[in-house]
Coordinates of all heavy atoms in Angstrom, one line a residue:
M1 N -9.2 2.7 2.2 CA -8.4 3.8 2.4 C -7.4 4.0 1.3 O -6.9 3.0 0.8 CB -7.8 3.7 3.8 CG -6.8 4.9 4.0 SD -5.9 4.9 5.5 CE -6.0 3.4 6.3
Q2 N -7.0 5.2 1.0 CA -6.0 5.4 0.0 C -5.0 6.4 0.6 O -5.3 7.2 1.4 CB -6.6 6.1 -1.3 CG -7.5 5.1 -2.0 CD -8.0 5.8 -3.3 OE1 -7.5 6.8 -3.7 NE2 -8.9 5.2 -4.0
I3 N -3.7 6.1 0.2 CA -2.7 7.1 0.6 C -2.2 7.7 -0.7 O -1.9 7.1 -1.7 CB -1.5 6.3 1.2 CG1 -1.9 5.6 2.5 CG2 -0.3 7.2 1.5 CD1 -0.8 4.8 3.2
H4 N -2.1 9.0 -0.6 CA -1.6 9.8 -1.8 C -0.9 11.0 -1.3 O -1.4 11.7 -0.4 CB -2.8 10.2 -2.7 CG -2.3 11.0 -3.9 ND1 -1.7 10.4 -5.0 CD2 -2.3 12.3 -4.1 CE1 -1.4 11.4 -5.8 NE2 -1.7 12.6 -5.3
V5 N 0.3 11.3 -1.9 CA 1.0 12.5 -1.6 C 1.2 13.2 -2.9 O 1.7 12.6 -3.9 CB 2.4 12.1 -0.9 CG1 3.2 13.4 -0.7 CG2 2.2 11.4 0.4
S6 N 0.9 14.5 -2.9 CA 1.0 15.3 -4.1 C 2.4 15.3 -4.6 O 3.4 15.3 -3.8 CB 0.6 16.7 -3.8 OG -0.8 16.8 -3.4
Y7 N 2.6 15.4 -5.9 CA 3.9 15.2 -6.5 C 5.0 16.2 -5.9 O 6.1 15.8 -5.6 CB 3.8 15.5 -8.0 CG 5.1 15.3 -8.7 CD1 5.5 14.0 -9.0 CD2 5.9 16.3 -9.1 CE1 6.7 13.7 -9.7 CE2 7.1 16.1 -9.7 CZ 7.5 14.8 -10.0 OH 8.7 14.6 -10.6
E8 N 4.6 17.4 -5.7 CA 5.5 18.4 -5.2 C 6.0 18.1 -3.7 O 6.9 18.7 -3.2 CB 5.0 19.8 -5.3 CG 3.8 20.1 -4.5 CD 2.5 19.8 -5.2 OE1 2.4 19.1 -6.2 OE2 1.4 20.2 -4.6
H9 N 5.3 17.3 -3.0 CA 5.6 17.0 -1.6 C 6.2 15.6 -1.4 O 6.4 15.1 -0.3 CB 4.4 17.1 -0.8 CG 3.8 18.5 -0.8 ND1 4.5 19.6 -0.2 CD2 2.7 19.1 -1.3 CE1 3.8 20.7 -0.3 NE2 2.7 20.4 -1.1
R10 N 6.5 14.9 -2.5 CA 7.0 13.5 -2.4 C 8.5 13.6 -2.1 O 9.2 14.6 -2.2 CB 6.8 12.8 -3.7 CG 5.3 12.5 -4.0 CD 5.1 11.8 -5.2 NE 3.6 11.7 -5.5 CZ 3.1 11.2 -6.5 NH1 3.8 10.7 -7.5 NH2 1.8 11.1 -6.6
S11 N 9.0 12.5 -1.6 CA 10.4 12.3 -1.2 C 10.8 13.1 0.0 O 11.9 13.5 0.2 CB 11.4 12.7 -2.4 OG 11.2 11.8 -3.5
K12 N 9.8 13.4 0.8 CA 10.0 14.1 2.1 C 9.6 13.2 3.3 O 9.6 13.7 4.4 CB 9.2 15.4 2.1 CG 9.5 16.4 1.0 CD 8.6 17.6 1.1 CE 9.0 18.5 0.0 NZ 8.1 19.7 -0.1
G13 N 9.3 12.0 3.1 CA 8.9 11.1 4.1 C 7.5 11.1 4.6 O 7.1 10.4 5.5
I14 N 6.7 11.9 3.9 CA 5.3 12.0 4.2 C 4.5 10.7 4.0 O 3.8 10.3 4.9 CB 4.6 13.2 3.4 CG1 5.3 14.5 3.8 CG2 3.1 13.2 3.7 CD1 4.9 15.7 2.9
G15 N 4.7 10.1 2.9 CA 4.0 8.8 2.6 C 4.4 7.8 3.6 O 3.5 7.0 4.0
K16 N 5.7 7.7 3.9 CA 6.1 6.7 4.9 C 5.4 6.9 6.2 O 5.0 6.0 6.9 CB 7.6 6.7 5.0 CG 8.2 5.7 5.9 CD 9.7 5.7 5.9 CE 10.2 4.5 6.9 NZ 11.6 4.5 6.9
K17 N 5.4 8.2 6.7 CA 4.7 8.5 7.9 C 3.2 8.1 7.9 O 2.7 7.6 8.8 CB 4.8 10.0 8.3 CG 6.2 10.4 8.6 CD 6.4 10.3 10.1 CE 7.8 10.9 10.4 NZ 8.3 10.4 11.6
L18 N 2.5 8.4 6.8 CA 1.1 8.0 6.6 C 1.0 6.5 6.7 O 0.1 6.0 7.4 CB 0.6 8.6 5.3 CG 0.3 10.0 5.2 CD1 0.0 10.4 3.7 CD2 -0.8 10.5 6.1
F19 N 1.9 5.8 6.0 CA 1.8 4.4 6.0 C 2.0 3.8 7.4 O 1.3 2.9 7.9 CB 2.8 3.8 5.0 CG 2.7 2.3 4.9 CD1 1.8 1.7 4.1 CD2 3.5 1.4 5.7 CE1 1.7 0.3 4.0 CE2 3.4 0.1 5.6 CZ 2.5 -0.5 4.7
E20 N 3.0 4.4 8.1 CA 3.3 3.9 9.5 C 2.1 4.2 10.4 O 1.8 3.3 11.3 CB 4.5 4.6 10.0 CG 5.8 4.2 9.4 CD 7.0 5.0 9.7 OE1 6.9 6.1 10.4 OE2 8.1 4.6 9.3
R21 N 1.4 5.3 10.3 CA 0.3 5.6 11.1 C -0.9 4.6 10.8 O -1.6 4.2 11.7 CB -0.2 7.0 10.9 CG 0.6 8.0 11.5 CD 0.0 9.4 11.4 NE 0.7 10.3 12.4 CZ 0.2 11.4 12.8 NH1 -1.0 11.7 12.5 NH2 0.8 12.2 13.6
C22 N -1.1 4.3 9.5 CA -2.1 3.3 9.2 C -1.7 1.9 9.8 O -2.6 1.2 10.4 CB -2.2 3.1 7.7 SG -2.9 4.5 6.8
A23 N -0.5 1.5 9.7 CA 0.0 0.3 10.3 C -0.2 0.3 11.8 O -0.7 -0.7 12.4 CB 1.4 0.0 9.9
D24 N 0.1 1.4 12.5 CA 0.0 1.5 13.9 C -1.5 1.3 14.3 O -1.8 0.6 15.3 CB 0.5 2.8 14.4 CG 2.1 2.8 14.4 OD1 2.7 1.8 14.2 OD2 2.6 4.0 14.5
K25 N -2.4 2.0 13.6 CA -3.8 2.0 13.9 C -4.3 0.6 13.7 O -5.1 0.0 14.5 CB -4.5 3.0 13.0 CG -6.0 3.1 13.3 CD -6.3 3.7 14.7 CE -7.7 3.9 14.9 NZ -8.0 4.4 16.2
A26 N -3.9 -0.1 12.6 CA -4.4 -1.5 12.3 C -3.9 -2.4 13.4 O -4.7 -3.3 13.9 CB -3.8 -1.9 11.0
R27 N -2.7 -2.3 13.9 CA -2.2 -3.1 15.0 C -3.0 -2.9 16.2 O -3.4 -3.9 16.9 CB -0.7 -2.7 15.3 CG 0.3 -3.4 14.5 CD 1.7 -3.1 15.1 NE 2.7 -3.2 14.0 CZ 3.1 -2.2 13.3 NH1 2.7 -1.0 13.5 NH2 4.0 -2.4 12.3
A28 N -3.3 -1.6 16.5 CA -4.1 -1.3 17.7 C -5.5 -1.9 17.6 O -6.1 -2.2 18.6 CB -4.2 0.2 17.9
M29 N -6.0 -2.1 16.4 CA -7.3 -2.7 16.2 C -7.2 -4.2 16.1 O -8.3 -4.9 15.9 CB -7.9 -2.1 14.9 CG -8.2 -0.6 15.0 SD -8.8 0.1 13.5 CE -10.4 -0.6 13.4
G30 N -6.0 -4.8 16.2 CA -5.9 -6.2 16.3 C -5.6 -6.9 14.9 O -5.6 -8.1 14.8
A31 N -5.3 -6.1 13.9 CA -5.0 -6.7 12.6 C -3.6 -7.3 12.6 O -2.8 -6.9 13.4 CB -5.1 -5.6 11.5
R32 N -3.5 -8.3 11.7 CA -2.2 -9.0 11.6 C -1.5 -8.6 10.3 O -0.3 -8.8 10.2 CB -2.3 -10.5 11.7 CG -2.8 -10.9 13.1 CD -3.0 -12.4 13.2 NE -4.1 -12.7 12.2 CZ -4.2 -13.9 11.7 NH1 -3.5 -14.9 12.1 NH2 -5.2 -14.2 10.9
K33 N -2.2 -8.1 9.3 CA -1.7 -7.8 8.0 C -2.5 -6.6 7.4 O -3.6 -6.4 7.8 CB -1.8 -8.9 7.0 CG -1.0 -10.1 7.2 CD -1.2 -11.1 6.1 CE -0.4 -12.4 6.2 NZ -0.7 -13.3 5.1
L34 N -1.8 -5.9 6.5 CA -2.5 -4.9 5.7 C -2.5 -5.4 4.3 O -1.5 -6.0 3.9 CB -1.7 -3.5 5.7 CG -1.6 -2.8 7.0 CD1 -0.8 -1.5 6.7 CD2 -3.0 -2.4 7.5
Y35 N -3.6 -5.3 3.6 CA -3.7 -5.7 2.2 C -3.7 -4.5 1.3 O -4.4 -3.5 1.6 CB -5.0 -6.5 2.0 CG -5.1 -7.1 0.6 CD1 -4.5 -8.3 0.3 CD2 -5.8 -6.4 -0.4 CE1 -4.7 -8.9 -0.9 CE2 -5.9 -7.0 -1.7 CZ -5.3 -8.2 -1.9 OH -5.4 -8.8 -3.2
I36 N -2.8 -4.5 0.3 CA -2.6 -3.3 -0.5 C -2.8 -3.7 -2.0 O -2.2 -4.6 -2.5 CB -1.2 -2.7 -0.4 CG1 -0.9 -2.2 1.1 CG2 -0.9 -1.6 -1.3 CD1 -0.1 -3.1 1.9
S37 N -3.7 -2.9 -2.6 CA -3.9 -3.0 -4.1 C -3.1 -1.8 -4.6 O -3.6 -0.7 -4.8 CB -5.3 -3.0 -4.4 OG -5.5 -3.2 -5.8
A38 N -1.8 -2.1 -4.9 CA -0.9 -1.0 -5.3 C -1.1 -0.6 -6.8 O -1.2 -1.5 -7.6 CB 0.6 -1.4 -5.1
H39 N -1.2 0.7 -7.0 CA -1.4 1.2 -8.3 C -0.3 0.6 -9.3 O 0.8 0.2 -8.8 CB -1.3 2.7 -8.3 CG -1.6 3.4 -9.6 ND1 -0.7 3.6 -10.6 CD2 -2.8 3.9 -10.0 CE1 -1.3 4.2 -11.6 NE2 -2.5 4.4 -11.3
S40 N -0.6 0.5 -10.5 CA 0.3 -0.2 -11.5 C 1.5 0.6 -11.8 O 2.5 0.1 -12.3 CB -0.5 -0.4 -12.8 OG -1.0 0.8 -13.3
S41 N 1.6 1.9 -11.4 CA 2.8 2.7 -11.6 C 4.0 2.1 -10.9 O 3.9 1.7 -9.7 CB 2.6 4.1 -11.3 OG 2.6 4.3 -9.9
E42 N 5.2 2.1 -11.5 CA 6.4 1.7 -10.8 C 6.7 2.4 -9.6 O 7.1 1.9 -8.6 CB 7.6 1.8 -11.8 CG 7.6 0.8 -12.9 CD 8.8 0.9 -13.8 OE1 9.9 1.2 -13.3 OE2 8.7 0.7 -15.0
E43 N 6.4 3.7 -9.6 CA 6.7 4.6 -8.4 C 5.9 4.1 -7.2 O 6.4 4.0 -6.1 CB 6.3 6.0 -8.8 CG 6.6 7.0 -7.7 CD 6.3 8.4 -8.1 OE1 5.2 8.6 -8.7 OE2 7.1 9.3 -7.9
S44 N 4.6 3.8 -7.4 CA 3.7 3.3 -6.3 C 4.2 2.0 -5.8 O 4.3 1.8 -4.6 CB 2.3 3.2 -6.8 OG 1.7 4.5 -7.0
Q45 N 4.5 1.1 -6.7 CA 4.9 -0.2 -6.3 C 6.3 -0.2 -5.5 O 6.5 -0.9 -4.6 CB 5.0 -1.2 -7.4 CG 3.6 -1.4 -8.0 CD 3.6 -2.4 -9.2 OE1 4.5 -3.1 -9.4 NE2 2.5 -2.4 -9.9
L46 N 7.2 0.7 -6.0 CA 8.5 0.9 -5.3 C 8.3 1.4 -3.9 O 9.0 1.0 -3.0 CB 9.4 1.8 -6.2 CG 10.8 2.0 -5.7 CD1 11.5 0.7 -5.6 CD2 11.5 3.0 -6.5
F47 N 7.4 2.4 -3.8 CA 7.1 2.9 -2.4 C 6.7 1.8 -1.5 O 7.3 1.6 -0.4 CB 6.0 3.9 -2.5 CG 5.4 4.3 -1.1 CD1 6.1 5.1 -0.3 CD2 4.2 3.7 -0.7 CE1 5.7 5.4 1.0 CE2 3.8 4.0 0.6 CZ 4.5 4.9 1.4
Y48 N 5.7 1.0 -1.9 CA 5.2 -0.1 -1.0 C 6.3 -1.2 -0.7 O 6.5 -1.7 0.4 CB 4.0 -0.8 -1.6 CG 2.8 0.1 -1.4 CD1 2.2 0.7 -2.5 CD2 2.3 0.4 -0.1 CE1 1.1 1.6 -2.3 CE2 1.2 1.3 0.1 CZ 0.6 1.8 -1.0 OH -0.5 2.7 -0.9
T49 N 7.1 -1.4 -1.7 CA 8.3 -2.4 -1.5 C 9.3 -1.8 -0.5 O 9.7 -2.5 0.4 CB 9.0 -2.7 -2.9 OG1 8.0 -3.3 -3.8 CG2 10.1 -3.6 -2.7
N50 N 9.5 -0.5 -0.7 CA 10.5 0.2 0.2 C 10.0 0.2 1.7 O 10.8 0.3 2.6 CB 10.8 1.6 -0.3 CG 11.7 1.5 -1.5 OD1 12.4 0.5 -1.7 ND2 11.8 2.6 -2.2
V51 N 8.7 0.2 1.9 CA 8.2 0.3 3.3 C 8.0 -1.1 3.9 O 7.6 -1.3 5.0 CB 6.9 1.1 3.5 CG1 7.2 2.6 3.2 CG2 5.8 0.6 2.7
G52 N 8.4 -2.2 3.0 CA 8.4 -3.5 3.6 C 7.2 -4.4 3.1 O 7.1 -5.5 3.6
C53 N 6.5 -4.0 2.1 CA 5.4 -4.8 1.6 C 5.9 -5.9 0.7 O 7.0 -5.7 0.0 CB 4.4 -3.9 0.8 SG 3.6 -2.7 1.9
I54 N 5.2 -7.0 0.6 CA 5.6 -8.1 -0.3 C 4.4 -8.4 -1.1 O 3.2 -8.0 -0.8 CB 6.1 -9.3 0.5 CG1 5.0 -9.8 1.5 CG2 7.4 -9.0 1.3 CD1 5.3 -11.1 2.1
D55 N 4.6 -9.3 -2.2 CA 3.4 -9.7 -2.9 C 2.5 -10.5 -2.0 O 2.9 -11.3 -1.2 CB 3.9 -10.6 -4.1 CG 4.5 -9.8 -5.2 OD1 4.1 -8.7 -5.5 OD2 5.5 -10.3 -5.8
A56 N 1.2 -10.3 -2.2 CA 0.2 -10.9 -1.3 C 0.2 -12.4 -1.5 O 0.2 -12.9 -2.6 CB -1.2 -10.3 -1.6
V57 N 0.1 -13.1 -0.3 CA 0.0 -14.5 -0.3 C -1.5 -14.9 -0.6 O -1.8 -15.8 -1.4 CB 0.4 -15.1 1.0 CG1 0.2 -16.6 1.1 CG2 1.9 -14.7 1.3
E58 N -2.4 -14.2 0.1 CA -3.8 -14.4 -0.1 C -4.4 -13.2 -1.0 O -4.3 -12.1 -0.6 CB -4.6 -14.4 1.2 CG -4.1 -15.5 2.1 CD -4.8 -15.4 3.5 OE1 -6.0 -15.2 3.6 OE2 -4.0 -15.4 4.5
I59 N -4.9 -13.5 -2.1 CA -5.4 -12.5 -3.1 C -6.9 -12.3 -2.9 O -7.6 -13.2 -2.9 CB -5.1 -12.9 -4.5 CG1 -3.6 -13.2 -4.8 CG2 -5.6 -11.9 -5.5 CD1 -2.7 -12.0 -4.7
D60 N -7.3 -11.0 -2.8 CA -8.7 -10.7 -2.8 C -9.1 -10.7 -4.2 O -8.9 -9.7 -5.0 CB -8.8 -9.3 -2.2 CG -10.3 -8.8 -2.1 OD1 -11.1 -9.1 -3.0 OD2 -10.6 -8.1 -1.1
K61 N -9.7 -11.7 -4.7 CA -10.1 -11.9 -6.1 C -11.0 -10.8 -6.6 O -10.8 -10.4 -7.7 CB -10.7 -13.3 -6.3 CG -9.7 -14.4 -6.1 CD -10.3 -15.8 -6.4 CE -9.2 -16.8 -6.1 NZ -9.7 -18.2 -6.4
K62 N -11.9 -10.4 -5.8 CA -12.9 -9.4 -6.3 C -12.1 -8.1 -6.5 O -12.3 -7.4 -7.6 CB -13.9 -9.1 -5.2 CG -15.0 -8.2 -5.7 CD -16.1 -8.1 -4.6 CE -17.2 -7.1 -5.0 NZ -18.3 -7.0 -4.0
L63 N -11.2 -7.7 -5.6 CA -10.4 -6.5 -5.8 C -9.5 -6.6 -7.0 O -9.3 -5.7 -7.8 CB -9.7 -6.1 -4.5 CG -9.0 -4.8 -4.4 CD1 -9.9 -3.7 -4.7 CD2 -8.3 -4.7 -3.1
A64 N -8.8 -7.8 -7.1 CA -7.9 -8.0 -8.2 C -8.6 -7.9 -9.6 O -8.0 -7.4 -10.5 CB -7.2 -9.3 -8.0
E65 N -9.8 -8.4 -9.6 CA -10.6 -8.3 -10.9 C -11.0 -6.9 -11.2 O -11.1 -6.5 -12.3 CB -11.8 -9.2 -10.8 CG -11.5 -10.7 -10.9 CD -12.7 -11.6 -10.6 OE1 -13.8 -11.1 -10.4 OE2 -12.4 -12.9 -10.6
Y66 N -11.4 -6.1 -10.1 CA -11.8 -4.8 -10.3 C -10.7 -3.9 -10.7 O -10.9 -2.9 -11.5 CB -12.4 -4.2 -8.9 CG -12.9 -2.9 -9.0 CD1 -14.1 -2.6 -9.7 CD2 -12.2 -1.8 -8.4 CE1 -14.6 -1.3 -9.7 CE2 -12.7 -0.5 -8.4 CZ -13.9 -0.3 -9.1 OH -14.4 1.0 -9.2
E67 N -9.4 -4.1 -10.3 CA -8.3 -3.4 -10.6 C -7.2 -4.3 -11.2 O -6.2 -4.6 -10.5 CB -7.7 -2.6 -9.4 CG -8.6 -1.6 -8.8 CD -8.7 -0.3 -9.7 OE1 -8.0 -0.2 -10.7 OE2 -9.5 0.5 -9.4
P68 N -7.4 -4.8 -12.4 CA -6.5 -5.9 -12.9 C -5.1 -5.5 -13.1 O -4.2 -6.4 -13.2 CB -7.2 -6.3 -14.2 CG -8.0 -5.1 -14.6 CD -8.4 -4.4 -13.4
Y69 N -4.8 -4.2 -13.2 CA -3.4 -3.8 -13.4 C -2.6 -3.5 -12.1 O -1.5 -3.2 -12.1 CB -3.3 -2.6 -14.4 CG -3.9 -3.0 -15.7 CD1 -5.1 -2.5 -16.1 CD2 -3.2 -3.8 -16.6 CE1 -5.6 -2.8 -17.4 CE2 -3.7 -4.2 -17.8 CZ -4.9 -3.7 -18.2 OH -5.4 -4.0 -19.4
D70 N -3.4 -3.5 -11.0 CA -2.8 -3.2 -9.7 C -2.0 -4.4 -9.3 O -2.3 -5.6 -9.7 CB -3.8 -2.9 -8.6 CG -4.4 -1.5 -8.7 OD1 -4.0 -0.8 -9.7 OD2 -5.2 -1.1 -7.8
R71 N -1.0 -4.2 -8.4 CA -0.2 -5.3 -7.8 C -0.7 -5.5 -6.4 O -0.8 -4.6 -5.6 CB 1.3 -4.9 -7.8 CG 2.2 -5.9 -7.2 CD 3.6 -5.4 -7.3 NE 4.5 -6.4 -6.7 CZ 5.8 -6.1 -6.5 NH1 6.3 -4.9 -6.9 NH2 6.6 -6.9 -5.9
Q72 N -1.2 -6.8 -6.2 CA -1.7 -7.1 -4.9 C -0.6 -7.4 -3.9 O 0.2 -8.3 -4.2 CB -2.7 -8.3 -5.0 CG -3.7 -8.1 -6.1 CD -4.6 -6.9 -5.9 OE1 -5.1 -6.6 -4.8 NE2 -4.6 -6.1 -6.9
M73 N -0.5 -6.7 -2.8 CA 0.6 -6.8 -1.9 C 0.1 -6.9 -0.5 O -1.1 -6.6 -0.2 CB 1.5 -5.5 -2.0 CG 2.1 -5.3 -3.4 SD 3.1 -3.9 -3.6 CE 4.7 -4.6 -3.0
E74 N 0.9 -7.2 0.5 CA 0.6 -7.2 1.9 C 1.7 -6.7 2.7 O 2.9 -6.7 2.3 CB 0.1 -8.6 2.3 CG 1.2 -9.6 2.3 CD 0.7 -11.0 2.6 OE1 -0.4 -11.4 2.2 OE2 1.5 -11.7 3.3
Y75 N 1.4 -6.3 3.9 CA 2.4 -5.9 4.9 C 2.0 -6.6 6.2 O 0.9 -6.4 6.8 CB 2.3 -4.4 5.1 CG 3.3 -3.8 6.1 CD1 4.6 -3.6 5.7 CD2 2.9 -3.5 7.4 CE1 5.5 -3.1 6.6 CE2 3.8 -2.9 8.3 CZ 5.1 -2.8 7.9 OH 6.0 -2.3 8.8
V76 N 3.0 -7.4 6.7 CA 2.8 -8.1 7.9 C 3.0 -7.2 9.1 O 4.1 -6.6 9.2 CB 3.7 -9.4 8.0 CG1 3.5 -10.1 9.3 CG2 3.4 -10.3 6.8
L77 N 2.1 -7.1 9.9 CA 2.2 -6.2 11.1 C 2.9 -7.0 12.2 O 3.5 -6.5 13.0 CB 0.8 -5.8 11.6 CG 0.0 -5.0 10.5 CD1 -1.4 -4.8 11.0 CD2 0.6 -3.6 10.3

C-alpha cells in the first residue's frame, strides 16, 4: 500500500488521517507493527517521523535492495 497526498492538499492533516486509518485497520487485523519503506525525500521521511515512526529494527532485505535509497522504518501499534 502507498500513501500519497497531492502537493496542493498537503499540510491539511490528510496524510496523518490516512496513516491513522491504516494503523487502525492493521491493529484490527492483529498486526503489531507497520513496516514502511519511506521515500528518500526529506519531506516523506519527516512525515513518517512526525507520526511516530522510527528506523526499522528488522529490515526487509528484499525491499531494501529493491529501493536502496528508501529509509526503512516501522511504527509500533
Side-chain angles (χ1 to χ4, degrees):
M1 174 182 13
Q2 294 184 9
I3 296 175
H4 178 80
V5 177
S6 299
Y7 185 80
E8 64 273 11
H9 297 291
R10 293 181 186 172
S11 299
K12 298 178 182 179
I14 297 169
K16 185 176 180 180
K17 290 271 187 204
L18 287 170
F19 185 84
E20 289 170 353
R21 284 187 166 203
C22 290
D24 289 344
K25 184 67 173 178
R27 274 188 209 95
M29 295 174 72
R32 294 178 299 159
K33 289 183 184 179
L34 296 178
Y35 185 85
I36 298 105
S37 184
H39 188 272
S40 59
S41 73
E42 287 182 35
E43 183 179 47
S44 292
Q45 293 181 19
L46 183 60
F47 166 78
Y48 286 112
T49 300
N50 286 341
V51 294
C53 298
I54 59 171
D55 287 324
V57 175
E58 299 174 50
I59 304 292
D60 180 326
K61 291 182 183 184
K62 186 176 179 181
L63 188 56
E65 288 173 3
Y66 182 72
E67 295 288 354
Y69 298 107
D70 283 5
R71 182 176 174 187
Q72 306 307 305
M73 303 180 82
E74 65 183 39
Y75 180 77
V76 178
L77 299 167

